[in-house]
């Protein structure tokens, strides 16, 4: 089914040794941009816990998707009560439905992978738990399909075996064009923009520590205009500058120059004046990678939407609803294997406030279509064709 390299075991890979010439190779990259690491843990630290734009984008999507009302139905009826609904509403003693789905969506957005554990040997699980993606590793079989999942915590490891009849792990992943087993996260696509935005914040902090003023130059000409400072004079000058004239606490302190020294202030260059625009552009790129309109995050710039309501409608339809629909479909298909029923868990579009106008228009068009049968109308509206509801 897949290429032969998928069948190679990762456990037998030889250990990599450090090269004696490895330190010399870095000289070739002098003068190039220094990007941050791209592993999942580093990306989460830089783009979520250490970046307000990434943090807010992930929280906005995860909380909105977790708050969507869900319905359970099959081809004939929509269920008001069902053991699967009870499990979803109360997945485990420590979490409710909103907390479980917020963690699930958050893991998928940050790492491109989300893992749900089913507690129970047979039938419908007794509990559902979201596992951390950075601790999970997939074990592929000879045919390339997963045969097990390893969950590593510290020095201990637990293996979840996957068989045709028993799948204790539901693995939901984003599309990745170059990986057969792991998904690609929006955070990785926005990694360069995250580095630029964080570097801009660090630069702003350094400028504030210097009393929000640009630096300058001390010029020494001497009596003949060609003299140079001795090493002792140079060290003394550096020490006095660091002690008495650098940092916010020394802001405004007058400088006493002697012995032919002259202070020449340096103003902001045109590139410095464009610095804030660069930071705002990086923030818009981060928001775009996650599918959040910059207007909803308070990012200034060109208005892609006429108003806030239109931006919120596009966010709900194009980002939140698509993500929630895909995740709930994967969960319901996974849980249906345990119950043996052909049931579907999906968001209730008629209870999403941002889509109320669109749903009203769709209902009106479908109801006025006299050439459609009742079953066809219900199918177009996402309702069971049987017209029954289990009370």
């Amino acid at each position: 089914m897949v290429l032969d390299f998928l069948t190679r075991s990762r456990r037998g890979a030889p250990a990599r040794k450090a090269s004696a010439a490895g330190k010399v190779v870095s000289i070739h990259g002098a003068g190039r941009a220094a990007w941050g690491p791209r592993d999942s843990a580093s990306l989460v630290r830089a783009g979520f816990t250490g970046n307000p734009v990434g943090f807010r984008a992930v929280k906005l999507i995860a909380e909105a998707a977790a708050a969507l009302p869900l319905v359970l139905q099959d081809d004939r009826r929509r269920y008001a009560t069902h053991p699967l609904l009870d499990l979803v509403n109360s997945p485990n003693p420590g979490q409710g439905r909103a907390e479980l789905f917020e963690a699930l969506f958050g893991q998928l957005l940050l790492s491109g992978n989300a893992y749900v554990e089913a507690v129970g040997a047979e039938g419908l699980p007794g509990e559902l738990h979201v596992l951390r993606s950075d601790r999970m590793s997939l074990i592929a079989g000879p045919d390339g399909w997963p045969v097990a999942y390893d969950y590593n915590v510290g020095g201990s490891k637990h293996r979840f075996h996957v068989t045709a009849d028993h799948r204790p792990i539901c693995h939901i992943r984003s599309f990745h064009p170059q990986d057969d087993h792991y998904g690609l996260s929006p955070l990785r696509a926005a990694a360069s923009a995250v580095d630029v935005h964080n570097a801009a914040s660090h630069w702003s902090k350094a400028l504030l520590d210097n009393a929000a003023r640009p630096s300058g130059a001390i010029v020494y000409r001497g009596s003949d205009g060609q003299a140079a400072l001795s090493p002792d004079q140079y060290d003394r000058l550096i020490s006095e500058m660091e002690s008495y004239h650098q940092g916010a606490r020394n802001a405004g302190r007058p400088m006493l120059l002697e012995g032919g020294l002259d202070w020449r202030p340096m103003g902001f260059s045109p590139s410095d004046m464009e610095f804030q625009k660069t930071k705002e552009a990086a923030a818009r790129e981060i928001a775009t990678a996650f599918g959040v309109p910059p207007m909803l995050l308070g990012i200034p710039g060109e208005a892609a939407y006429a108003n806030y309501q239109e931006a919120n409608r596009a966010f709900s339809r194009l980002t939140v609803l698509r993500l929630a629909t895909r995740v709930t479909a994967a969960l319901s298909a996974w849980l249906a294997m345990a119950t043996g029923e052909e049931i579907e868990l999906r968001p209730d579009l008629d209870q999403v406030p941002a889509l109320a106008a669109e749903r009203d228009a769709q209902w009106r068009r479908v109801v006025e279509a006299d050439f459609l049968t009742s079953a066809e109308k219900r199918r177009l509206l996402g309702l069971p064709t049987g017209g029954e509801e289990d009370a």
Side-chain angles (χ1 to χ4, degrees):
M1 184 194 71
V2 293
L3 299 177
D4 292 338
F5 70 87
L6 291 177
T7 62
R8 300 174 184 172
S9 175
R10 300 180 181 178
R11 294 172 293 178
R16 298 183 62 183
K17 305 297 183 181
S19 171
K23 300 179 181 179
V24 184
V25 178
S26 60
I27 299 177
H28 180 70
R32 298 183 180 179
W35 302 108
R38 295 297 186 258
D39 60 282
S40 297
S42 299
L43 284 175
V44 171
R45 285 194 299 267
F48 182 72
T49 61
N51 187 278
V53 179
F55 174 84
R56 184 55 185 157
V58 173
K59 290 285 290 183
L60 198 64
I61 299 173
E63 291 177 352
L68 289 176
L70 302 177
V71 294
L72 182 69
Q73 65 185 41
D74 55 21
D75 291 337
R76 294 189 53 81
R77 58 183 175 180
R78 177 172 291 183
Y79 294 91
T81 59
H82 193 276
L84 195 150
L85 281 176
D86 297 337
L87 174 64
V88 171
N89 291 327
S90 182
N92 60 71
Q95 289 180 315
R97 182 179 69 90
E99 291 82 4
L100 179 88
F101 277 98
E102 182 179 350
L104 178 61
F105 292 125
Q107 291 288 341
L108 185 60
L109 291 169
L110 291 174
S111 66
N113 301 274
Y115 302 90
V116 182
E117 176 195 2
V119 178
E122 298 180 359
L124 190 67
E127 296 180 4
L128 298 177
H129 295 270
V130 176
L131 304 181
R132 281 178 47 174
S133 301
D134 58 327
R135 294 176 173 174
M136 186 72 78
S137 57
L138 182 147
I139 308 300
D143 56 356
W145 290 104
V147 295
Y149 291 90
D150 284 345
Y151 192 69
N152 299 275
V153 181
S156 60
K157 179 179 67 176
H158 180 77
R159 173 160 295 187
F160 297 93
H161 294 278
V162 177
T163 62
D165 299 327
H166 180 60
R167 295 183 176 271
I169 297 295
C170 177
H171 181 194
I172 305 172
R173 64 187 185 96
S174 302
F175 170 71
H176 196 314
Q178 297 176 329
D179 199 310
D180 296 290
H181 299 301
Y182 297 99
L184 178 65
S185 70
L187 189 59
R188 184 177 294 272
S192 298
V194 169
D195 288 342
V196 172
H197 194 273
N198 289 343
S201 299
H202 296 160
W203 187 89
S204 300
K205 177 61 168 58
L207 187 62
L208 289 174
D209 290 341
N210 197 35
R213 295 184 301 180
S215 183
I218 298 178
V219 181
Y220 177 68
R221 299 185 181 277
S223 58
D224 56 355
Q226 301 294 330
L229 292 174
S230 66
D232 293 340
Q233 290 175 327
Y234 180 83
D235 294 340
R236 176 193 169 195
L237 180 61
I238 294 297
S239 177
E240 291 184 357
M241 290 295 298
E242 292 178 350
S243 301
Y244 301 108
H245 299 287
Q246 288 187 2
R249 64 185 181 88
N250 293 322
R253 173 174 292 186
M255 183 181 298
L256 178 61
L257 300 177
E258 57 182 347
L261 295 176
D262 184 27
W263 172 257
R264 184 173 299 172
M266 295 181 181
F268 288 109
S269 65
S271 60
D272 293 331
M273 301 302 293
E274 296 291 331
F275 186 78
Q276 183 63 26
K277 294 183 179 180
T278 302
K279 185 177 181 180
E280 293 173 359
R284 286 194 293 272
E285 290 181 5
I286 298 173
T288 301
F290 283 101
V292 180
M295 182 183 297
L296 301 184
L297 297 176
I299 301 173
E302 65 276 2
Y305 300 94
N307 50 47
Y308 188 89
Q309 184 178 6
E310 183 180 346
N312 186 50
R313 185 182 302 115
F315 170 67
S316 300
R317 182 179 64 253
L318 301 178
T319 301
V320 175
L321 188 60
R322 290 182 179 180
L323 178 65
T325 301
R326 184 165 62 89
V327 170
T328 53
L331 275 178
S332 60
W334 176 59
L335 293 173
M337 295 176 59
T339 61
E341 302 175 89
E342 294 184 359
I343 51 180
E344 181 184 13
L345 186 68
R346 58 187 300 178
D348 189 357
L349 302 182
D350 295 318
Q351 298 187 45
V352 181
L355 304 179
E358 296 181 5
R359 290 294 292 178
D360 289 343
Q362 184 179 5
W363 274 79
R364 192 178 304 110
R365 290 195 305 268
V366 172
V367 170
E368 294 176 356
D370 298 333
F371 58 90
L372 296 176
T373 64
S374 176
E376 290 173 338
K377 292 180 179 181
R378 296 182 65 88
R379 188 179 297 109
L380 288 174
L381 294 173
L383 300 174
T385 57
E388 301 177 3
E389 182 170 353
D390 183 16

